[in-house]
Amino acid sequence: MSTTTSPIPVLRGRAGTTLQAQDDVLVLSRRRKEKRIPLQAVRRVGAEGRALAVELTAPAGTTPVTYEVRGVSEVAATAFADAVTALLPEERAADGTALVTDGAPAGSDETTGTRARSGSRRGSPAWWRSGWPCPWASWSR
């Protein structure tokens, strides 16, 4: 009997959003922000169509926080939800939001301290920065 295990897929959603499992933490990355969600903070993970939701534990009488990733593969979302659900610990925190941490994704501009700039105006061409008029503008109007 041979046992094969497949890694939990990395979910890639709209606008560069990713969700991945790293050890006992789910990492949700959106643009320049990252949330690290410990598995002890997760109440449930569910896939519905091309969306996946991670619902956090919450005290009785309060509405739980839910993080969604939309625009993912249906197959990957289902596989991710099943795999993470199997990893959830028996004992979980009463308030999952207290365990979630924020940060910048590794390798982003915020963690390296650098920012892409192109002169005095971000993204402006050199002729604009020098004060010359736009080469294709019609000044005869």
Side-chain angles (χ1 to χ4, degrees), residues 8 14 18-19 28 35-36 41 50 79 88 98 107 109 113-114 127:
I8 299 174
R14 294 182 185 153
T18 61
L19 179 64
L28 176 65
K35 294 213 179 273
R36 298 184 64 79
R50 293 178 43 104
L88 292 177
D109 291 344
T114 61
W127 56 264

Side-chain angles (χ1 to χ4, degrees), residues 14-28:
R14 294 182 185 153
T17 301
T18 61
L19 179 64
Q20 60 185 329
Q22 294 179 352
D23 300 322
D24 61 344
V25 175
L26 299 179
V27 180
L28 176 65

Side-chain angles (χ1 to χ4, degrees), residues 36-69:
R36 298 184 64 79
I37 307 165
L39 292 179
Q40 296 93 354
V42 177
R43 179 173 173 239
R44 65 184 174 134
V45 179
E48 185 174 320
R50 293 178 43 104
L52 181 117
V54 176
E55 184 179 305
L56 301 183
T57 57
T62 62
T63 304
V65 173
T66 301
Y67 297 104
E68 284 190 356
V69 180

Side-chain angles (χ1 to χ4, degrees), residues 71-124:
V72 299
S73 159
E74 289 184 42
V75 174
T78 302
F80 188 93
D82 291 346
V84 171
T85 299
L87 294 176
L88 292 177
E90 287 290 321
E91 292 188 29
R92 299 184 199 153
D95 184 8
T97 56
L99 300 177
V100 176
T101 57
D102 294 330
S108 72
D109 291 344
E110 291 180 20
T111 57
T112 59
T114 61
R115 184 186 297 177
R117 288 199 176 170
S118 175
S120 61
R121 295 182 186 171
R122 188 174 176 196
S124 61

